[in-house]
Amino acid sequence: MTDVKPVPHDDPAAITDHFRSVDSAPVDYAVDRPESGTNGFLITFAGLSIIVMCIRTFLVHSGFAHVPGDLVILSEDRGKVVFPLRLFLVMFFLTYAIHAYSNIWRRVFIGVSLLGKYALFCVVVDTLAWLLHDAGIISISVFGAQMISGLIALAIFPHTILKQAQLPPQGPLPLDPRIPPRAFFTLAACLALAIAGAAIALTVLYDLVEVLKSWAILGGLGAGVFLMQQLLAISTALLGVRALKKSRRHEFAPPTAVLVPAHNEAHDIGDTIAAVDEAAHTYPGRIHLYVVDNASTDATHEVAEQVIAECTHIAGTVLDCPTPGKAHALNLGIAHITEEFVARIDADTVIGPGCLETAMRHFADPRVGCVGGIPMPREEKTWIDKCRLVEVYMRHGFFQVSLDGYQGVMGIPGMFAVYRRSQVLAVGGMVQGMNGEDTDICMRLTAAGYHSVADPKALYYSETPASYAHLREQRTRWFRSIYHLTARNRAILLDRQTMIGTFVLPFNLVNAARRAMLAPLLMFAAIAGFVFPSTFTTLQWQPIVATMLGMSMIMTVAVCLIWRPSSVKYIPAYLCFRLLRSYFTLASTLSLRYPPMHPRIPTRMLRYKSAWLRRPHPAAETPAGDHHAQ
């Protein structure tokens, strides 16, 4: 690490709040709503849930003994519901419509759309279940019908957002997929084996499965679904490890440019540059460093020049980008670079020994378009650091490796990512004015016939949020990006030509919806179980606990033991952090902008009203409260 001290700055708040930038909430597609927006959602949701449960309690005690425990129309076992899932989803959709960021007419339209589509699918599911049972073909339980409609709801939510929210337009997407068919065959084979394995386990080990369900180890969407998910992830991860080992055997170390965009990073950019200089000492090829000062108001430029002047193994250049926005800084830097390979590194990131050599070996395969590593936290002092460590092991040390098994890596974090410069320019450069530019470039490279590689052997160390405010800003931005990315790359969604469009992107959309619903789901279960226990007499706690813990906790323990056994002690904090992550995911959906609507203006004409969203709005500037656009 460098001993250079940051040049003093007149405004200490700039260091404390250095994480905020124009990328935190892109003005065209997001609003920086205060925390009261999410809290207001939860208060409204709890209030509506209590009112509905009070009405049901009144009906039950008024002689309507056959009032169903959930919104089901099946003639058999309507009163034997494990959990009122459909009632929860109706409350969630209604509350979201109430708190969506737009005028009242648009919110009404969102509510009608969400509830109308969900009601239609529920009627179809229940009718088909009744017809199949009446014909003697198969009997679908109430629980089974609930689970099917629950999965449908996880698709309805992102579908409605993508249809109605103000999101980026479709970008240039030169479709030329060259993903080998074996990638699809690999995923299909692993999926078939996972389904077969889960079915066999449920049949042969029935008694053990029942015990695990009673202990809340299996459950949630169903024991079979949980087993299938984990078996699929394990099998593809094993294939991913095999593929990475094979790819690392190549020797490839071409001249490489290191590009560091920096906005108000005077406090730690010196460490980033020093780490690059140290890496250049062992890297066989030539390295040139480009630092792009992106409209900084502190001493980033001066500190960068001072540290570069003291480097012994690299030459460096400091460029100025007066236009705020990381994508602007990246595009400016790429335009100045002459090397074919570009390693972008965030100014709060320190690459580890051998990180660059490991990443570059994968580019010996001409079909590789982007390579990344594993973003370890730089410290383990705060609860955020410790939770982040476990999260990194799970996300990048396990799930990303499983995606490597069938060329399904959708995005490489921009903290450290290496690209082919010519291909980045060919697909249009870094997108500006939206969240997720690092994943967007990987998705467009995939559409152009390349695939990304995430190698956990390429270690680097990145800044962990130092405060709750920083964590909230970071995660809201990250979780919002899934909708920005899908809208900009909508042409590949379910395209059946790329692994990302066929499977990974739809899965991520559904998973984002599930994560946004987790905190309200636990709140709803607590209200039903503790406030109305005599009304919901068939309610079981095991499926709810299994959704939060269960097999996911077992997998977390296993992964941590593989990577570093001592990290297991952080798992309880990490499980609580998952609930906080759900809260931030919900906040990200509430930060999306929706164009205003008027009952006399056809929907197709609303695009001409989009300019309304680009002007500053009082709600975005009110730190003490939250207001809807009127």
Side-chain angles (χ1 to χ4, degrees):
M1 302 294 178
T2 180
D3 294 328
V4 176
K5 303 296 183 182
V7 178
H9 188 259
D10 295 333
D11 183 9
I15 299 299
T16 304
D17 212 35
H18 73 279
F19 54 85
R20 296 193 179 277
S21 70
V22 296
D23 297 315
S24 296
V27 66
D28 288 343
Y29 312 117
V31 59
D32 189 10
R33 296 180 79 166
E35 207 166 22
S36 58
T38 312
N39 296 338
F41 176 100
L42 295 175
I43 292 171
T44 302
F45 174 81
L48 290 174
S49 300
I50 291 172
I51 291 172
V52 170
M53 292 181 191
C54 284
I55 293 174
R56 186 182 184 279
T57 302
F58 173 78
L59 292 175
V60 170
H61 290 285
S62 298
F64 295 89
H66 297 291
V67 175
D70 199 9
L71 302 176
V72 293
I73 59 175
L74 289 170
S75 59
E76 299 290 336
D77 298 329
R78 289 196 303 164
K80 298 179 181 179
V81 296
V82 175
F83 180 78
L85 179 62
R86 290 183 178 178
L87 184 60
F88 158 74
L89 289 167
V90 168
M91 293 296 99
F92 181 87
F93 287 157
L94 180 60
T95 308
Y96 183 79
I98 292 172
H99 285 267
Y101 190 82
S102 190
N103 69 341
I104 188 170
W105 297 110
R106 171 60 69 178
R107 298 202 297 270
V108 169
F109 188 69
I110 292 171
V112 171
S113 179
L114 286 169
L115 296 174
K117 285 184 285 190
Y118 187 58
L120 175 62
F121 277 109
C122 286
V123 170
V124 170
V125 169
D126 286 0
T127 302
L128 287 175
W130 177 78
L131 291 174
L132 291 172
H133 175 75
D134 191 59
I137 299 174
I138 188 174
S139 292
I140 300 177
S141 66
V142 170
F143 179 78
Q146 285 180 300
M147 293 303 104
I148 294 171
S149 58
L151 291 172
I152 292 171
L154 294 180
I156 288 174
F157 187 59
H159 177 268
T160 303
I161 289 177
L162 293 171
K163 283 288 186 181
Q164 298 199 40
Q166 182 80 17
L167 295 170
Q170 169 67 57
L173 205 64
L175 284 173
D176 184 24
R178 295 191 298 271
I179 294 181
R182 67 173 178 271
F184 290 96
F185 294 146
T186 297
L187 177 61
C190 290
L191 183 59
L193 289 174
I195 293 174
I200 293 172
L202 292 177
T203 303
V204 177
L205 304 174
Y206 177 82
D207 293 337
L208 176 60
V209 169
E210 289 300 310
V211 172
L212 293 176
K213 288 170 66 176
S214 68
W215 291 351
I217 300 300
L218 289 175
L221 291 176
V225 174
F226 269 61
L227 284 172
M228 184 273 293
Q229 286 179 329
Q230 307 309 327
L231 290 174
L232 176 63
I234 291 171
S235 61
T236 52
L238 292 174
L239 293 176
V241 170
R242 179 174 175 270
L244 288 171
K245 285 183 177 179
K246 182 179 179 181
S247 185
R248 283 193 213 108
R249 295 182 188 140
H250 299 102
E251 294 294 333
F252 193 71
T256 302
V258 172
L259 177 59
V260 181
H263 171 73
N264 289 346
E265 296 288 352
H267 56 290
D268 57 8
I269 194 173
D271 292 341
T272 302
I273 297 172
V276 173
D277 186 50
E278 185 177 347
H281 180 59
T282 58
Y283 183 72
R286 177 177 54 83
I287 293 178
H288 190 95
L289 175 69
Y290 299 83
V291 174
V292 182
D293 181 11
N294 185 210
S296 297
T297 56
D298 66 357
T300 295
H301 191 286
E302 292 81 356
V303 171
E305 285 188 333
Q306 183 180 353
V307 178
I308 289 173
E310 298 180 0
C311 289
T312 57
H313 305 292
I314 60 171
T317 306
V318 180
L319 306 172
D320 285 308
C321 177
T323 306
K326 183 176 288 187
H328 290 285
L330 290 169
N331 286 330
L332 185 146
I334 291 172
H336 280 78
I337 288 170
T338 58
E339 293 82 1
E340 170 60 7
F341 293 93
V342 181
R344 63 172 284 189
I345 302 176
D346 276 356
D348 58 4
T349 298
V350 173
I351 59 175
C355 175
L356 195 59
E357 292 97 314
T358 300
M360 294 306 300
R361 290 191 184 109
H362 298 286
F363 283 104
D365 182 351
R367 297 169 299 177
V368 172
C370 180
V371 178
I374 184 168
M376 303 297 292
R378 292 176 68 171
E379 297 179 316
E380 295 178 27
K381 294 181 179 179
T382 69
W383 65 271
I384 298 178
D385 298 335
K386 296 168 184 177
C387 292
R388 176 59 177 165
L389 178 67
V390 178
E391 182 183 49
V392 164
Y393 286 154
M394 287 300 296
R395 178 73 181 93
H396 299 274
F398 179 61
F399 288 118
Q400 282 279 66
V401 174
S402 72
L403 293 174
D404 279 314
Y406 53 92
Q407 296 187 7
V409 175
M410 190 173 88
I412 297 296
M415 293 173 278
F416 171 78
V418 189
Y419 313 102
R420 298 178 189 272
R421 177 178 178 271
S422 59
Q423 295 305 321
V424 169
L425 294 174
V427 298
M430 301 291 177
V431 63
Q432 302 167 359
M434 59 170 264
N435 294 130
E437 92 291 331
D438 50 1
T439 300
D440 174 76
I441 192 66
C442 293
M443 293 174 70
R444 283 185 288 134
L445 287 171
T446 297
Y450 298 86
H451 69 272
S452 300
V453 175
D455 190 345
K457 289 292 185 181
L459 269 73
Y460 59 94
Y461 303 86
S462 189
E463 178 189 65
T464 301
S467 65
Y468 174 82
H470 186 182
L471 180 67
R472 177 176 175 269
E473 182 274 339
Q474 179 196 70
R475 294 314 172 101
T476 303
R477 171 167 42 88
W478 285 4
F479 298 149
R480 185 195 301 124
S481 69
I482 185 63
Y483 301 108
H484 291 185
L485 293 166
T486 305
R488 177 167 164 78
N489 299 278
R490 57 173 60 89
I492 72 171
L493 183 61
L494 301 174
D495 63 352
R496 295 179 295 178
Q497 294 178 290
T498 63
M499 185 58 67
I500 291 174
T502 302
F503 176 73
V504 181
L505 182 56
F507 176 83
N508 277 300
L509 284 169
V510 169
N511 191 51
R514 177 199 62 81
R515 197 168 56 231
M517 295 179 186
L518 180 59
L521 176 68
L522 296 178
M523 177 182 290
F524 187 85
I527 294 172
F530 293 107
V531 183
F532 299 91
S534 61
T535 301
F536 296 93
T537 56
T538 59
L539 184 69
Q540 296 181 15
W541 60 269
Q542 288 92 341
I544 307 302
V545 175
T547 300
M548 183 66 185
L549 303 174
M551 284 297 295
S552 61
M553 180 181 67
I554 293 176
M555 290 301 300
T556 303
V557 172
V559 171
C560 287
L561 287 174
I562 292 172
W563 275 97
R564 200 179 83 188
S566 62
S567 63
V568 171
K569 62 180 179 287
Y570 302 148
I571 291 179
Y574 170 70
L575 295 175
C576 296
F577 175 72
R578 288 180 61 197
L579 186 59
L580 184 61
R581 199 166 56 184
S582 169
Y583 176 82
F584 294 144
T585 306
L586 178 61
S588 72
T589 65
L590 294 170
S591 70
L592 295 169
R593 289 181 178 268
Y594 288 89
M597 193 174 186
H598 192 279
R600 297 178 182 176
I601 302 177
T603 304
R604 64 179 180 273
M605 296 179 61
L606 290 174
R607 61 180 180 271
Y608 299 113
K609 294 273 185 179
S610 61
W612 180 89
L613 295 167
R614 293 186 171 89
R615 66 184 185 184
H617 195 276
E621 303 172 356
T622 306
D626 182 53
H627 309 282
H628 290 304
Q630 299 299 323

